[in-house]
Amino acid sequence: MQRGVTMRFFLILVVGLIDLRTKADNFRTCQPGDFHYEFTECDEKGGRWRVSVPKPGVCEGGAPNPPTRTEDCSISCDPGWFLDLNKLECSLCPNSTYSLGGGVYFDNWTKLPSGFSSYTEALRSAFSAGRRRGDVDCGAYGWQPRGDVLASRGGQCAAVLVYTVKLVKPGAVKYTYQFTDDNIIFEFQAQDKECQSIDDGDDYKWPPITREGQWQTRTVKLKPGLNVLHWKTIGIEAGGSSRPVMIKSIQISGVAHSSECTECPAGTYSEPGASECKECEENTYAPRGSSKCLPCDPVTEYAPKGSAECLPRPPCTSRDYYEIDSPCDDKNQTRAVYKWVEPRVCRIKMEGSVRLPPSGEIKMCPPCNPGMHYTAGQGCVFCPPGEHSDGLSPCKPCPPSTAPNYGYQYQWWTAMPPRMAATCMSSDDIGCNNSEGWQVAGDHIHSGRGHADDAYLVLSLKVGGFRGREMGGRPMEVGRISFTFELSCASDCEFVFMEASSKKGVIVLKRWTGPQPRMYYNYIVTRNDSYTFSWAFQKVSWEKSYLKSSTLRMYETDMAKVFNINVTNTIDGGASSCLPCPQTSEAAGCIPCPAGQYIENSTTECTPCPANTVVTDPLPYGPQSCLPCGVGLTAPDHLTCIVQCRLTVDNYTYDLTNISSARAVMGSTLFTSSGTKFYHMFNISLCGNTSVVCTNNVTYNMEGEVSTVVSRVCRSTIVPGVEGMSGLFRVGAIATQSVSLGDHLVGVTTSPSYLNISVIKEFVQPNHTNRRDLHFYYSTPMSTRACPDGRSTTITLRCDPDQPGDGKVTLPQQCPDGTCDGCNFHFLWSSAFGCPECSESELIVVRGECKDGKQPVHYITPKTCIAPDNLPQGRTVACSTRLPFIVEVIVLSTVSMALMLCLLLFCLWKKNQRLEYKYMKLVASASSKDGMMELPPAESCALDDGEEEEVQFTQNAPRGILSKLKHNKVAVSGSKLITLNLKPREGRGLLVDSLKISSKDPLT
């Protein structure tokens, strides 16, 4: 057996040697041209060897060049140069090539480049398995190549992009990105080989938010050695669709030397010593590795910017030109003018091609917009301060005792109105026909013609502020913006309405996709601030906008039209009318009424408003301007509705002074599958003018803006000093995504619902309980993608004597994050200070021992209420010999019942004696008649005068028929015949079944 195994091993060894010999015989001997130079790894002395090696699998043997040692491992060339390994020195790159020197560059995202890795993780709650964040398929999320960009949608998953690079000298990473959705946490992290952050500061980790369609570049310095780069996104909000984080390009410098220059890609060219290739201009092209761009035939061909080849010019059609009214001249006249869509790619002199129509007839310009007037050389401009116009007539001053009603009323579009601007943005800077993007068209303004499908067209309006005042306690209108629009699309176009302010940042108010008929939309402004309102249009969705296509203009005729824009109650703009002022001693100008008063329409006099009402309009006309506060709220200054810390609800008085300060509440802890932890921190306030502040400690806002939320209830997302994804890195605690959950306290009541806001059933007590909870209702009317109707919060204050001090704030068990739908939040605050004050009737009176005719009296509060400030102190009163009234009633009732019981017992005893005597008398009579016994006549009948001499014995009727026949009655009454029925007893029988006694028969 052992010998057989040895023989098989010997045969296998011989066959292997023969096979190796055969393969070696197939390779030729290496020649000098087959060798190239490579560097070995650096040794412990900081040097390395240059060795000559052949290409693998081509040849073997030969005479390689002797190795050469270099003492500098960090040798690297500048951009535009490469390291010539033959000379061991840097050389200039030739034409048609480029070199980053010691760097790498990525801008083609048709697939994930080599060296990058990406993975995703679902977010899971530690408190409830199977929640909506738990069961998520992350396959649709993560970093995905989209042609020109690398995109991550965030969503309900965490996505990480990782790239590892080794730097031989100090370098930097530069990446261009777009980050518009603050519902996504976007983080960049760079670490060394020991997984330590390259910088102690956190500023570089949190890229600032960009505007829609805007690209921004960030540069982070790197240290020599191994660097691990991470781009991480985490989507917190699950509701609504989120716009992704997109990376356009990544460039890293300071890496190892470049031993050769790279050919320029098609559509670009370079000169000697180029660090990057330049794009070819329009109507020129360049194949790969070109030193210059070649022109196309200007008559028959065209080429977009950066083209690799020329394209044939198609014949012109009606889609290649558009109509526009020329600017109004000095005579206020205009005419229709036709222009080619630029750049014009169609061919005019070609069979079937249409020509540009001639200009139209001269016509009068449309009237100016209300609040504006025509000025020669300037067109339509706003009226001067204090004047008004309907747009048809010149401006004129407001009459005495009136004031202009300022606003923006844009309904004619012969030129771009004042304070409005338009812009076009494209990812490659070649998709915009012009920088403005939007074009005026008389009765409307549209998104223009000639722009590429991925172009982002933005129309904006700046408003300096509003005249209305904010009112705490309920969301009130300080201004309003409305507009009419239409979307004509053949694809999944997108139209977005946004607002930007210093207090709130950039917020998407409404989003429409696909074709839309002409419709009206209005938005109520509840916070007084300076705003920039924007309308953004893109012909295709973001998924399609960055995919490579053969043509840039597949949806040429798709556009958005805006017909009118109206903004009311502003502090600037133009006035189309004047409002009457309140009656004052001065004839010119308006002096507003004092706080809490309105202007009587008939007399223009200032009239006081009812109590607990507020006035927000600076010129309030009529009693309808006095707006009532919510239930439980007061308005001492008639400007703001607040809840006093000492309040009365349903005849119960509460003193919340001790719990009036801001309170922080931590929500449930959420985890990713690898252990990344984050949670929500809530700040809440109950009464008074107390406001809470939620501030981000990372720059998730526009650069130059501060992201701080001030409200009655707010929430921040906290990522505490957490081990990063899969333990790769560690970051410090961050607070981000601060949002308001309650801008206004709208009411305080014991009812479990108010103004369409309901308390969660878990916190509602049954009606039979002694004390009813106090519910505080908050509202934030701001609409978001996740919460179209805004957010609301309820705080239930419960009397709990076992919770001293500030008490305890808990979240619903079924929704440990404080909300079950992401829009309505609920808190239960249990505290002894939530109990009402005791009334005098609820106090427990305790009397002491009587000494020397006096006794002390003390008052004790029960557990269900707290002692009022005017609680009576202990006092001494004269002793009273009279029992308390309640005791007297009890004693009298007890004595009366005892007497009645004794009387009842006596009556029963008396009656029993009579019945016993009569029974014995009848028994004796029956026995005497039978001869068994004779009794002497009775001396007395033992009957009182007036009693009837009648005795009747009855018993229950027998059930059987024979028994009923035997049944008779016995009676004794005068001379009548009386029958006595005696029922035989068990063990004793009677001689007769019945005994008939006549009054004439002797009883003996």
Side-chain angles (χ1 to χ4, degrees):
M1 181 70 182
Q2 183 177 4
R3 182 179 180 183
V5 174
T6 305
M7 288 297 295
R8 284 196 297 268
F9 176 75
F10 177 75
L11 291 175
I12 293 174
L13 180 61
V14 170
V15 171
L17 292 175
I18 294 174
D19 183 65
L20 291 174
R21 178 68 178 176
T22 303
K23 290 184 178 180
D25 291 341
N26 292 334
F27 292 124
R28 60 178 176 83
T29 303
C30 293
Q31 303 299 318
D34 295 326
F35 292 94
H36 66 280
Y37 289 112
E38 290 184 0
F39 280 112
T40 64
E41 292 293 331
C42 292
D43 52 30
E44 63 276 4
K45 295 182 179 181
R48 56 183 175 178
W49 293 87
R50 184 195 70 175
V51 295
S52 179
V53 296
K55 295 181 180 178
V58 175
C59 62
E60 66 174 8
N65 295 323
T68 304
R69 180 172 176 81
T70 61
E71 300 299 334
D72 187 5
C73 286
S74 62
I75 183 172
S76 180
C77 300
D78 294 332
W81 296 72
F82 73 100
L83 180 62
D84 189 341
L85 296 183
N86 294 320
K87 302 178 180 179
L88 288 179
E89 62 182 18
C90 293
S91 301
L92 195 67
C93 286
N95 288 335
S96 71
T97 63
Y98 75 98
S99 172
L100 297 175
V104 290
Y105 183 74
F106 305 96
D107 65 346
N108 187 352
W109 307 101
T110 54
K111 64 178 182 178
L112 200 63
S114 176
F116 284 89
S117 62
S118 174
Y119 58 92
T120 59
E121 296 177 350
L123 305 181
R124 300 183 182 273
S125 173
F127 288 84
S128 57
R131 294 181 59 210
R132 63 176 182 176
R133 286 192 176 99
D135 301 330
V136 178
D137 181 13
C138 290
Y141 301 95
W143 290 97
Q144 300 175 356
R146 292 287 180 174
D148 287 342
V149 297
L150 191 64
S152 174
R153 293 176 55 189
Q156 304 174 53
C157 299
V160 177
L161 177 70
V162 182
Y163 184 75
T164 303
V165 62
K166 185 176 182 180
L167 272 60
V168 298
K169 64 178 182 179
V173 56
K174 182 169 66 174
Y175 60 97
T176 302
Y177 71 97
Q178 187 176 132
F179 172 33
T180 60
D181 191 349
D182 59 0
N183 284 325
I184 299 177
I185 296 178
F186 181 34
E187 176 187 2
F188 171 76
Q189 181 75 291
Q191 296 164 325
D192 56 22
K193 62 181 180 180
E194 297 178 355
C195 296
Q196 299 296 322
S197 177
I198 62 171
D199 193 346
D200 295 336
D202 290 340
D203 293 341
Y204 81 96
K205 299 178 182 178
W206 312 107
I209 287 180
T210 63
R211 299 186 185 276
E212 294 275 352
Q214 179 185 10
W215 294 95
Q216 188 164 333
T217 300
R218 296 274 286 183
T219 301
V220 179
K221 294 183 179 180
L222 303 177
K223 298 178 181 180
L226 187 67
N227 288 265
V228 183
L229 310 179
H230 306 263
W231 291 266
K232 178 181 177 181
T233 62
I234 299 178
I236 300 300
E237 293 292 344
S241 60
S242 60
R243 194 168 182 88
V245 177
M246 293 179 286
I247 295 178
K248 183 179 178 181
S249 63
I250 298 176
Q251 180 177 344
I252 304 173
S253 61
V255 298
H257 63 273
S258 297
S259 59
E260 61 182 7
C261 297
T262 306
E263 281 189 338
C264 289
T268 63
Y269 72 98
S270 71
E271 297 175 350
S275 60
E276 61 181 353
C277 297
K278 300 179 181 179
E279 279 189 324
C280 292
E281 298 295 333
E282 294 179 4
N283 297 324
T284 62
Y285 74 99
R288 181 178 179 85
S290 297
S291 60
K292 64 178 181 179
C293 296
L294 305 176
C296 297
D297 188 324
V299 178
T300 61
E301 295 177 331
Y302 80 98
K305 188 177 180 180
S307 296
E309 60 182 355
C310 296
L311 302 175
R313 290 184 180 270
C316 294
T317 65
S318 59
R319 298 171 56 183
D320 294 313
Y321 66 86
Y322 60 93
E323 177 185 350
I324 186 173
D325 289 339
S326 63
C328 297
D329 55 19
D330 295 342
K331 298 180 181 179
N332 198 24
Q333 294 177 337
T334 184
R335 66 170 62 191
V337 178
Y338 298 91
K339 294 184 177 181
W340 292 110
V341 173
E342 297 294 341
R344 182 174 62 84
V345 299
C346 64
R347 185 176 177 184
I348 300 176
K349 296 180 180 181
M350 189 176 183
E351 183 178 357
S353 180
V354 301
R355 295 186 177 273
L356 198 66
S359 300
E361 296 180 356
I362 296 176
K363 58 184 179 181
M364 295 300 296
C365 287
C368 292
N369 290 308
M372 306 176 72
H373 69 115
Y374 178 77
T375 302
Q378 298 182 5
C380 293
V381 296
F382 285 126
C383 292
E387 299 185 7
H388 73 288
S389 172
D390 58 1
L392 299 174
S393 57
C395 297
K396 54 185 177 181
C398 287
S401 298
T402 62
N405 184 18
Y406 291 113
Y408 297 88
Q409 303 177 59
Y410 295 150
Q411 58 191 25
W412 297 105
W413 306 89
T414 56
M416 189 64 69
R419 302 189 71 84
M420 291 201 71
T423 184
C424 174
M425 295 177 288
S426 179
S427 61
D428 50 11
D429 300 328
I430 64 173
C432 294
N433 175 21
N434 53 63
S435 59
E436 293 185 355
W438 289 71
Q439 299 173 358
V440 295
D443 63 343
H444 69 275
I445 183 171
H446 60 80
S447 54
R449 300 280 292 274
H451 304 297
D453 296 339
D454 67 338
Y456 208 77
L457 309 170
V458 181
L459 179 69
S460 59
L461 168 64
K462 291 186 178 181
V463 178
F466 295 89
R467 298 195 305 273
R469 292 192 295 262
E470 293 183 35
M471 183 189 74
R474 58 184 295 188
M476 295 304 303
E477 178 179 340
V478 299
R480 183 189 296 258
I481 179 171
S482 59
F483 57 92
T484 305
F485 72 98
E486 176 183 294
L487 300 182
S488 177
C489 305
S491 64
D492 297 331
C493 62
E494 188 176 44
F495 187 61
V496 181
F497 176 54
M498 303 172 289
E499 73 168 13
S501 66
S502 58
K503 294 180 180 179
K504 291 289 188 179
V506 180
I507 299 175
V508 176
L509 301 177
K510 189 69 176 178
R511 189 186 301 267
W512 298 268
T513 57
Q516 301 288 339
R518 184 165 178 169
M519 65 172 58
Y520 171 82
Y521 177 80
N522 78 94
Y523 171 70
I524 297 176
V525 182
T526 58
R527 281 185 174 268
N528 200 345
D529 197 359
S530 59
Y531 290 91
T532 298
F533 296 100
S534 301
W535 297 261
F537 177 73
Q538 194 172 29
K539 296 179 181 180
V540 294
S541 61
W542 74 267
E543 291 91 346
K544 295 180 180 179
S545 62
Y546 297 102
L547 292 177
K548 297 288 186 180
S549 60
S550 58
T551 176
L552 297 174
R553 296 174 175 85
M554 296 178 60
Y555 306 99
E556 179 64 34
T557 58
D558 289 7
M559 65 174 57
K561 297 180 180 179
V562 177
F563 297 93
N564 57 68
I565 298 175
N566 186 22
V567 186
T568 63
N569 206 35
T570 62
I571 61 175
D572 52 11
S576 60
S577 61
C578 299
L579 300 175
C581 297
Q583 183 175 353
T584 61
S585 58
E586 299 184 12
C590 276
I591 299 178
C593 290
Q597 298 187 10
Y598 66 93
I599 304 173
E600 188 66 46
N601 291 323
S602 57
T603 62
T604 67
E605 293 183 352
C606 294
T607 305
C609 287
N612 294 330
T613 59
V614 294
V615 180
T616 61
D617 199 323
L619 294 176
Y621 293 93
Q624 65 274 10
S625 300
C626 302
L627 306 174
C629 294
V631 59
L633 306 183
T634 60
D637 56 359
H638 288 281
L639 296 177
T640 304
C641 291
I642 63 172
V643 56
Q644 301 286 353
C645 289
R646 185 177 178 85
L647 71 159
T648 301
V649 178
D650 293 346
N651 298 324
Y652 287 102
T653 300
Y654 298 83
D655 189 355
L656 310 180
T657 306
N658 293 320
I659 54 175
S660 61
S661 57
R663 180 71 179 269
V665 181
M666 190 180 82
S668 67
T669 304
L670 302 176
F671 295 90
T672 64
S673 58
S674 65
T676 301
K677 179 174 66 174
F678 64 93
Y679 59 88
H680 291 141
M681 179 64 72
F682 302 91
N683 290 332
I684 61 178
S685 63
L686 282 182
C687 62
N689 290 319
T690 303
S691 296
V692 294
V693 179
C694 292
T695 304
N696 297 339
N697 63 2
V698 296
T699 56
Y700 271 175
N701 51 292
M702 298 292 180
E703 286 195 290
E705 297 178 356
V706 178
S707 179
T708 299
V709 174
V710 180
S711 63
R712 300 304 299 258
V713 181
C714 64
R715 183 195 70 182
S716 297
T717 300
I718 307 297
V719 182
V722 184
E723 287 293 336
M725 306 288 290
S726 301
L728 291 177
F729 57 88
R730 182 176 183 83
V731 298
I734 65 170
T736 183
Q737 296 182 332
S738 297
V739 295
S740 174
L741 306 181
D743 288 333
H744 312 280
L745 177 60
V746 297
V748 181
T749 177
T750 57
S751 174
S753 63
Y754 181 68
L755 293 181
N756 297 324
I757 306 175
S758 299
V759 179
I760 192 170
K761 292 183 179 180
E762 180 183 336
F763 290 165
V764 178
Q765 283 187 322
N767 294 328
H768 58 76
T769 54
N770 295 331
R771 296 294 183 190
R772 303 184 67 183
D773 295 333
L774 205 57
H775 305 294
F776 293 73
Y777 295 91
Y778 302 81
S779 172
T780 295
M782 179 66 65
S783 175
T784 63
R785 286 195 297 268
C787 304
D789 299 327
R791 295 184 174 95
S792 65
T793 299
T794 64
I795 300 178
T796 300
L797 183 62
R798 178 165 296 173
C799 173
D800 189 350
D802 297 329
Q803 294 292 339
D806 293 342
K808 180 177 66 174
V809 180
T810 57
L811 302 175
Q813 293 183 357
Q814 59 183 358
C815 309
D817 288 336
T819 177
C820 299
D821 56 6
C823 300
N824 301 289
F825 296 80
H826 307 278
F827 302 89
L828 175 62
W829 194 331
S830 302
S831 173
F833 292 115
C835 301
E837 292 184 351
C838 299
S839 61
E840 186 175 353
S841 60
E842 293 176 314
L843 296 176
I844 301 175
V845 181
V846 179
R847 297 179 180 272
E849 182 182 0
C850 184
K851 293 182 179 180
D852 301 329
K854 295 181 179 181
Q855 63 180 162
V857 178
H858 302 280
Y859 298 91
I860 301 177
T861 59
K863 279 190 173 183
T864 55
C865 59
I866 59 178
D869 295 336
N870 56 351
L871 177 67
Q873 299 297 324
R875 56 194 178 96
T876 302
V877 298
C879 294
S880 176
T881 57
R882 181 179 177 180
L883 295 175
F885 175 75
I886 185 65
V887 177
E888 292 179 352
V889 171
I890 293 175
V891 172
L892 181 61
S893 300
T894 303
V895 172
S896 300
M897 291 179 64
L899 292 175
M900 292 177 63
L901 181 61
C902 293
L903 181 60
L904 178 62
L905 292 174
F906 177 78
C907 294
L908 293 175
W909 176 80
K910 185 68 176 177
K911 188 173 183 179
N912 183 62
Q913 291 293 325
R914 292 175 185 173
L915 291 176
E916 184 179 359
Y917 171 77
K918 292 178 180 180
Y919 175 76
M920 295 299 297
K921 185 176 180 180
L922 290 175
V923 172
S925 299
S927 301
S928 175
K929 189 174 181 179
D930 294 338
M932 297 177 62
M933 179 181 181
E934 262 189 40
L935 296 175
E939 297 179 358
S940 173
C941 293
L943 296 177
D944 294 336
D945 296 337
E947 290 183 352
E948 295 184 1
E949 199 173 322
E950 180 177 359
V951 179
Q952 183 174 356
F953 295 89
T954 62
Q955 65 182 23
N956 295 333
R959 295 184 178 180
I961 297 178
L962 295 177
S963 300
K964 289 183 178 180
L965 293 176
K966 295 179 180 181
H967 177 72
N968 287 297
K969 295 182 180 179
V970 177
V972 178
S973 179
S975 62
K976 297 180 180 180
L977 180 65
I978 299 175
T979 301
L980 175 65
N981 179 46
L982 297 177
K983 180 180 178 181
R985 300 180 182 178
E986 183 178 356
R988 296 176 59 186
L990 296 179
L991 296 178
V992 294
D993 291 338
S994 62
L995 176 65
K996 294 183 179 180
I997 303 174
S998 175
S999 59
K1000 297 180 180 182
D1001 296 333
L1003 293 175
T1004 59

